[in-house]
Amino acid sequence: MDSTTIGFIGLGNMGSRIARCLRAGGFRVVGYDSNPEAAAKVGIEVGASVAEVVRSAQIILMSLPDSKVVEAVVEGDGGVLSSVEKGQVVVDLSTASASSTIRLARLFDDRGAFYVDAGISGGAAAAEKGTLTLMVGGAEEAIERLTPVFKPIASKVVVMGGAGAGHTTKLLNNFLNAVSLAATAEVMVAGKKAGLDLHQLLDVLNASSGVNFATLNRFPKIVDGDYLEGGLTSRLMTKDVVLYADLLHELGVSSLNTAGPLASFGLATALGYGDAISNRVVDAIGDISGGIRLNKA
């Protein structure tokens, strides 16, 4: 194992882009995915198994769908824990349960290894360009070693605290993202049905108290028919909101605003948009509002 090799587990929509940035940044990347063709498509070395990837590098990154998959990859037969050695650093880039992350971090600590949670924000476009925002939790010693690894993939890295702090921050951020996207989609459908010019409506919103990430960055494209395909799906957005609700339950904080985004992205999934980008929630709301499409007369 050497410091110029990165192991990478999970080469899906986000993982593949991050792995490419690492390779372009001068690292040798050895990757594994449940799809045996994924690593070759990314243009990195193919690891035959999770264990082989873990044995190949001092630092291993994982980008997986949820905590259930993370736990299976880490704790299952031939998983990360069965091969990890003292001093290795495993970084979880997934959107995962903070309580699960804290539990796994203890298991790595028992083996003298490090488990760092690094929530990511910026979507597929930022992953492609290497300009992600990372919200990091874990041991200071391990995080310092990750500085050169994060450089090709992120433009902003914020250390939030110990184990679980990165994933906690990611869930809080993703909930606000879900609320603003679902609410703005509803407003834009209403604006369309009321006969408003949607570009003018966005100009007003973006100069007023209703401004948010969706009004600034998503709907100026969506109203012209560009849904910015390739990002977080409605099915995954629903998963993130459920994780947020679970987190607040664990913290003993009242969760009064989860019903809206759960209903909106649940509707999108029920109407067939579950595996499309979550921006398509506006079409789901349009469907049940008289067949409204923002970019059609």
Side-chain angles (χ1 to χ4, degrees):
M1 292 185 287
D2 64 81
S3 60
T4 62
T5 298
I6 303 296
F8 209 108
I9 301 169
L11 297 164
N13 186 45
M14 295 295 285
S16 60
R17 289 172 165 87
I18 295 169
R20 285 192 192 99
C21 286
L22 288 167
R23 183 193 62 188
F27 288 98
R28 171 184 174 235
V29 184
V30 180
Y32 175 83
D33 191 271
S34 57
N35 174 5
E37 298 178 359
K41 287 181 179 179
V42 175
I44 61 177
E45 293 184 42
V46 180
S49 64
V50 168
E52 182 175 309
V53 170
V54 174
R55 289 192 294 265
S56 71
Q58 278 289 327
I59 294 172
I60 300 98
L61 275 58
M62 303 190 302
S63 179
L64 300 167
D66 54 40
S67 286
K68 288 184 178 179
V69 178
V70 171
E71 290 169 355
V73 169
V74 169
E75 300 179 277
D77 292 342
V80 176
L81 269 175
S82 65
S83 300
V84 74
E85 296 180 0
K86 184 176 180 178
Q88 283 182 281
V89 180
V90 177
V91 184
D92 185 8
L93 301 168
S94 315
T95 302
S97 160
S99 58
S100 173
T101 297
I102 292 168
R103 184 183 67 81
L104 293 177
R106 292 194 188 107
L107 296 178
F108 280 89
D109 187 59
D110 289 343
R111 288 162 172 76
F114 299 96
Y115 192 67
V116 173
D117 48 298
I120 59 179
S121 184
E128 190 79 39
K129 295 183 290 185
T131 58
L132 292 165
T133 294
L134 298 184
M135 311 151 223
V136 186
E140 183 177 340
E141 174 188 349
I143 294 170
E144 287 178 357
R145 289 170 57 190
L146 293 169
T147 299
V149 178
F150 288 158
K151 189 174 181 180
I153 68 174
S155 58
K156 188 176 184 65
V157 179
V158 183
V159 179
M160 299 303 300
H167 282 161
T168 295
T169 305
K170 177 64 186 296
L171 292 178
L172 299 179
N173 175 79
N174 277 23
F175 174 68
L176 289 177
N177 175 39
V179 170
S180 63
L181 176 54
T184 304
E186 186 175 297
V187 164
M188 297 304 291
V189 170
K192 179 72 173 183
K193 202 160 187 180
L196 300 179
D197 181 294
L198 296 186
H199 289 97
Q200 289 184 329
L201 175 58
L202 284 169
D203 284 343
V204 171
L205 294 175
N206 287 331
S208 304
S209 57
V211 63
N212 62 67
F213 188 86
T215 62
L216 285 169
N217 298 285
R218 291 193 170 104
F219 281 92
K221 300 284 189 180
I222 294 170
V223 296
D224 290 326
D226 179 3
Y227 288 85
L228 304 168
E229 300 289 358
L232 189 71
T233 67
S234 284
R235 197 181 305 277
L236 289 176
M237 186 75 89
T238 303
K239 180 265 295 183
D240 289 357
V241 177
V242 170
L243 283 174
Y244 167 84
D246 288 343
L247 172 65
L248 264 61
H249 176 71
E250 292 169 5
L251 293 173
V253 175
S254 296
S255 177
L256 307 176
N257 296 287
T258 55
L262 279 177
S264 297
F265 296 106
L267 171 71
T269 298
L271 294 181
Y273 303 101
D275 296 320
I277 190 169
S278 52
N279 293 339
R280 290 278 181 178
V281 69
V282 70
D283 288 351
I285 294 171
D287 286 348
I288 63 169
S289 303
I292 301 297
R293 288 293 181 271
L294 301 190
N295 61 319
K296 291 184 179 179

